[in-house]
Amino acid sequence: MNITKKLINNKTALICLIIITTIVILGILAPYIAPYDPNKVRIVRKYAAMSSQHWLGCDHLGRDILSRLLYGIRSTLFLSLLTMIITIVVGSLIGLISGYQRGKLDECIMRLCDIMLSFPSQVMILAIVGVLGVGIENVIIANIVVKWAWYSRMIRSSVIKYSRKNYILFSRAIGAPHSFIICRHLLPNVMSELVILATLDTGWVILNISALSFIGLGVQAPTAEWGLMLSEAKNVMTQHPKQMVFPGIAILIVVAAFNMLGDCLRDILDPKDQKHE
Amino acid sequence: MLNYIIKRLTMMIPILFGISFIAFFLINLAPSDPAEVALRLNEIMPTPDAIESMRQELGLNKPFLERYFIWLYDVLHLDFGRSFIHRDRLVWDEMIRSLIPTLILAMSAFAFTLIISLILGVLCAIFANSAFDHIVRIIIFLGTAMPSYWLGLLFIWLFANYLDLLPTNGYGTWQNLILPTLTLSFVYISTYIRFIRNNMLENKHNYSVFYARSRGLKERTIIVKHVLVNSLHTTITALGMTIPQLIAGSFVVEYIFSWPGLGRLCIAAIMNRDYPVIQAYILIMAILFVVCNFIVDIIHQWLDPRLRDNGGAV
Amino acid sequence: MSSSLLEVNKLTVTLDNGNKLLDDVSFTINRHSCLGIVGESGSGKSLTCKAIIGLLEPYFNVSGQILFKPQQAKLTLANNGDLLQQNKQTLKQIRGNVISIILQHPMSAFDPLYCIGKQVVETLQAHQDINKKQAMTKALEMIENIGLNNPQEIYKKYPHQLSGGMLQRIMIGLALMLEPELIIADEPTTALDSISQFHILKMFTEIKQNLKTTVIFISHDLGVIHHIADDIIVMNKGKIVESGSREQIFYHPQHDYTRYLIDTRKQLLNKFNAIIGFNNPNLITETT
C-alpha cells in the first residue's frame, strides 16, 4: 500500500526498520548463531578481553558476553513485544466494548481509564509488583495494567467517531455482522494511530522492563537479560567498567530505533501532513 | 478564585478516599498470607498456632470493610502500623525518614531540569535549525532512549572512578547530590527542551505575535513578552506535574546511588514482602500526586487571566 | 496636492516551487487618499500589505520595488526609499510608527495574557521616548477618543473581556496614535457583527475627513469599499485586474472579473432590498 511505499522512501524509518528486524532475527536465531552457551560458567575465562574467540569478551563468571547479548534479545526485546501485544489486544477489546455498548459500562470504564492515566505509572508498577511479588510475569502484568487505558481510550473514541460515518451506518443497515464492520472499516482507520502509539510505547516498555530487572524485581539471574547484565556489571564496575558497555549500548540502540521509527511513522501517517501535500 | 479552590478541595476528598481504598484493597489481593509472611520475616516457624496469633495481632480475622475502616482510622492518625521486618519500628517514622531525602533529590532534580531546559529550550527556539539546535536535538534524542540506570553507572564511572571528583554514593553533602540529580533529570530535561522549543516555535506564528511585529516592537520584547511568556504558561502545567513523577520515578536512581529515600525503602519492602510499608508507600505517593496536581492547577488558574475569570472553564 | 506616498512597482512574490502568489503588482497611492483593494480570499490582498510592512515569511521570494516617500524628516530611507531594501532596524521604526496596520481578527490580535493598556503602552514606548506614566496618560486619552466609556476600566481589561468591536476600535485608535503617514487596514470589518461594522466604518470616514492620513483599505466586501475608497484596485489570483477611481470601477467596469464582482453584488443587493424592502446603499455593509 501507499504507506509501505512511503515508509521505504523515508530513509530514517527504513534504517530503523532494518535495525529492528535484524535484531529480532538475531534473537530468533540466537541458539544457532550464539558462539557459546550464555549461562555456561567458566571461571578461567573470567573478565577475558575482546578477542577472536570472545568478540565482546567475558563477564565476571567467564560467560561469553556476545552470547548473553544475543540471548538477551529474547528476554528483553521479545518480552517487551509480548507485553505490547497483550496490552494492545486487551486495551482494544475494552475500548471496543466501551465504544459499542456506551451507557453505564462505558462510563465506568472511562472513569477507570481516567484514574489509570492520571496516576504516575512508576508508582503503579511498583504497587503491582509489590502486591504480586517479584518476577518478570508480574512486571509484565504491571506494564499491561499501566498501559491498557491509553489504547482503550483511543479505540473507544475512534469507534464513536467512525460509527457515525455513513459507510458504517450503511453496513449496519444492510446487516453486516459486527466483527465484519470492525475488521473491514474500523481497524484500518485506527491502525495508523495505533501503530504510532505502540511503536513509541515499545521503547518505553523496554526501558521499563530492563530497569526493573536491573533493580532485581524482574527477570531473575542467571537468565541473560540486558538490564540484569548491567546489574551484574554494576557490582564489578570499579575493576572492570568495560563489562557495562555493551548491554547499555544494546538497550540504547533498540530503544532509539523504536523511538525514531515512531517519530517517522507519525510524520508519515499523520493525516494533518497529508493535507499539505 | 477562592470559590474554585474550595470547589477543588471538596473534590479532592472523595478522590483521597478512593485512593486509600485502592491502597488497602491492593494489598489484600496479595497471593500470600500477610500473617505467614510476617512470621517468616521474623524467622518464626509458621505453625498454625503462631499464624493464628499473628492474625489476631494484625487484626486479619475481622471482616474486610471493618478492617478497612480500622486501618483508615489509624492512617488518619498517621499510624500505618509496624513494619514486618522491624517489629519495633513504626512505618510512619520510616516513611518520614525516607521521604526527606527523596524530596531533596526530587526538588534538586526539578530545579536543575527547570533551569537547563528553559535555557536550552529557549535558545533552541530562537536559533532554530542552527548547528546549536541540531546538537541539542541529538542530545535530546539520546536522552529519551537512554536507560537512566546505565547513564547513572556511566556517571559513577566517569566522575567517581575515573576522574575521582565525586562520591559514588551516600547522603548528606552537596557532592552526594550531584550525580543522582544529573541522572534523574536527564530524561526530563530532554522532554522539556523539546516541549519548550516546539511550543515557542508554534507560538511564534501566533496572530498576536504578527500583530506585535506589525506594531514595530523590538524583537527581544516580542520573544520574551509575547512568545516566551505564552509558552511558559503551557509549560508550567506540564513541568509542575513532573514533581510527583520525579518523586515516583526516583527509585531507580536511589537504588544506583544508595540514596536513602522512599524508592529504595519500597524496593526493599517489595523484596521482603513487607506489606505495611508497600501500602504506606502507595498511599503517600498517591496523596503527593493529588496534592501536586491541585497546586499546579491553582497556579495555572491564577496565572492565566482567561481562566481566572471563568473559574476553571476555558 | 496629490504627490504619491507609496509606489509599488512590479511586486512579485513566489514560492520555492515556482508558484507565483503575486504577479507583477504595481500601483500608486496618493497622499491623503484612500485606496481600496478588492478581491476574493486568496487573491493576494493580504500578501501585498504584508510585503509593504516587510513581514512576509522568509520562505517567500520577493522581487520588485516598494517606494515609500514619507514626509517626516526624522526618517531617512536608503535606496530611494525602497521598503524591500531597508534594514531590520529601519523597518522596525517604520512599522507602527510611520506605517501602521489594522488587522482582521481583533479578538486574537492582542496577547491574551496582558491587559489592553499594557499593550498600548508597550507600542508607544517602542516608538517614543516617553516614560510609563506619560504613555499611560496617552493611552487613556486614546481610549476616550475612540468613544469608549470608562477608559480607566478598559485599560485594565484583558482582551477576552472586551468585544470584537471594542478591540477593533482600540486597534484603530492604536494605529492612529502615533500619527502614521500610512494606515493599512486589512479587512478590518470582516470579523465583526454588522453594528460594529457600521461603527468602524464611521470611524474610518472620520479619519479620512479629519486627519488627512493615507489609507489602504483591503476588503472583499464591495459595499464597504464603495463607502470608503477614492481609488480602487481589483485583484484576482495574485494579479491586478483593474484599477481606477471609484466611479470608474463601479459604474464603468472594463474587465470581466470586475463586472462579475459588481453584478454579484447587485444581485445580492436586489435580493436583500427585496426582502428588507428599503433602499439605502450607504447603510449596507453586508458580508458575502
Side-chain angles (χ1 to χ4, degrees), chain B:
Chain B
M1 191 67 199
L2 194 69
N3 279 339
Y4 178 75
I5 295 178
I6 293 169
K7 208 172 84 190
R8 275 299 310 258
L9 278 175
T10 40
M11 261 166 62
M12 269 165 72
I13 295 170
I15 294 176
L16 289 176
F17 260 107
I19 289 170
S20 71
F21 184 78
I22 292 172
F24 184 77
F25 177 71
L26 267 179
I27 294 300
N28 277 275
L29 286 179
S32 39
D33 182 358
E36 201 184 320
V37 174
L39 286 174
R40 279 190 198 283
L41 284 173
N42 289 292
E43 291 171 347
I44 301 171
M45 260 302 283
T47 57
D49 277 357
I51 289 180
E52 191 48 41
S53 70
M54 189 45 113
R55 289 181 75 88
Q56 211 63 271
E57 193 189 328
L58 295 172
L60 289 172
N61 288 336
K62 300 189 177 92
F64 176 75
L65 273 180
E66 196 186 331
R67 273 191 293 145
Y68 169 62
F69 283 113
I70 292 174
W71 176 78
L72 189 65
Y73 177 84
D74 289 343
V75 165
L76 287 175
H77 292 81
L78 302 181
D79 176 9
F80 287 85
R82 286 167 191 281
S83 155
F84 280 177
I85 311 172
H86 309 286
R87 296 298 294 164
D88 52 330
R89 285 193 204 162
L90 287 173
V91 172
W92 175 248
D93 293 343
E94 297 238 329
M95 282 286 150
I96 288 302
R97 205 178 321 126
S98 324
L99 182 64
I100 291 162
T102 298
L103 285 182
I104 291 174
L105 178 57
M107 284 305 146
S108 118
F110 178 71
F112 190 67
T113 309
L114 189 73
I115 294 167
I116 299 294
S117 50
L118 260 184
I119 294 173
L120 291 184
V122 171
L123 287 178
C124 279
I126 294 175
F127 304 109
N129 296 322
S130 65
F132 171 78
D133 185 31
H134 283 296
I135 293 170
V136 173
R137 278 163 77 185
I138 290 172
I139 298 173
I140 289 172
F141 182 73
L142 284 180
T144 46
M146 187 76 130
S148 62
Y149 49 95
W150 189 48
L151 186 72
L153 293 184
L154 293 178
F155 277 149
I156 291 180
W157 175 79
L158 181 67
F159 291 105
N161 291 3
Y162 190 73
L163 298 173
D164 202 13
L165 283 175
L166 295 166
T168 54
N169 55 27
Y171 168 72
T173 61
W174 62 268
Q175 288 102 327
N176 286 320
L177 196 57
I178 295 177
L179 288 184
T181 303
L182 280 179
T183 314
L184 185 57
S185 35
F186 197 70
V187 178
Y188 292 97
I189 288 175
S190 308
T191 318
Y192 285 105
I193 291 176
R194 179 145 75 165
F195 191 90
I196 293 170
R197 175 188 180 272
N198 293 351
N199 201 296
M200 276 185 73
L201 286 183
E202 236 167 69
N203 279 340
K204 260 187 175 174
H205 298 291
N206 273 355
Y207 199 63
S208 58
V209 171
F210 177 76
Y211 184 51
R213 286 232 161 82
S214 67
R215 282 184 285 154
L217 300 186
K218 283 199 197 90
E219 190 65 21
R220 209 183 56 211
T221 319
I222 294 173
I223 293 288
V224 174
K225 275 179 83 174
H226 298 294
V227 178
L228 180 61
V229 172
N230 272 286
S231 291
L232 284 186
H233 275 257
T234 10
T235 317
I236 269 177
T237 330
L239 261 172
M241 288 323 290
T242 53
I243 296 178
Q245 275 169 13
L246 282 168
I247 297 173
S250 67
F251 66 91
V252 178
V253 174
E254 288 179 11
Y255 173 82
I256 299 171
F257 295 97
S258 312
W259 191 260
L262 267 187
R264 215 172 60 137
L265 183 74
C266 180
I267 294 171
I270 291 173
M271 300 277 191
N272 294 321
R273 306 198 169 201
D274 195 348
Y275 291 127
V277 177
I278 302 175
Q279 204 167 32
Y281 175 81
I282 299 172
L283 193 64
I284 287 179
M285 281 300 173
I287 291 173
L288 271 178
F289 196 75
V290 173
V291 171
C292 282
N293 207 336
F294 170 73
I295 294 171
V296 169
D297 240 30
I298 297 294
I299 292 175
H300 187 216
Q301 198 69 207
W302 175 69
L303 283 175
D304 193 326
R306 282 164 298 184
L307 295 174
R308 224 181 292 156
D309 283 356
N310 301 344
V314 183

Side-chain angles (χ1 to χ4, degrees), chain C residues 257-272:
Chain C
Y257 183 70
T258 318
R259 275 196 211 115
Y260 159 75
L261 282 182
I262 287 168
D263 283 348
T264 321
R265 173 168 180 265
K266 265 187 194 150
Q267 281 168 19
L268 271 171
L269 266 184
N270 290 339
K271 225 178 199 172
F272 183 76

Side-chain angles (χ1 to χ4, degrees), chain C residues 7-62:
Chain C
E7 250 184 81
V8 176
N9 285 333
K10 300 192 168 174
L11 181 67
T12 304
V13 173
T14 44
L15 280 174
D16 278 336
N17 60 15
N19 265 0
K20 274 193 182 172
L21 298 176
L22 279 186
D23 191 1
D24 225 2
V25 169
S26 309
F27 58 87
T28 312
I29 308 162
N30 290 331
R31 231 173 270 280
H32 309 318
S33 71
C34 177
L35 175 79
I37 303 182
V38 215
E40 291 168 288
S41 47
S43 58
K45 299 167 296 181
S46 297
L47 213 59
T48 313
C49 69
K50 269 190 182 179
I52 294 173
I53 56 170
L55 283 181
L56 279 178
E57 282 80 359
Y59 49 80
F60 291 117
N61 306 316
V62 191

Side-chain angles (χ1 to χ4, degrees), chain A residues 17-60:
Chain A
L17 259 183
I18 291 174
I19 293 176
I20 293 168
T21 328
T22 320
I23 293 176
V24 168
I25 292 172
L26 286 178
I28 294 170
L29 298 179
Y32 307 102
I33 55 173
Y36 296 90
D37 178 348
N39 294 326
K40 176 91 181 197
V41 175
R42 257 166 304 178
I43 299 297
V44 259
R45 300 225 53 96
K46 194 163 127 181
Y47 304 124
M50 287 186 251
S51 63
S52 55
Q53 278 170 314
H54 298 279
W55 288 1
L56 301 181
C58 290
D59 67 1
H60 59 295

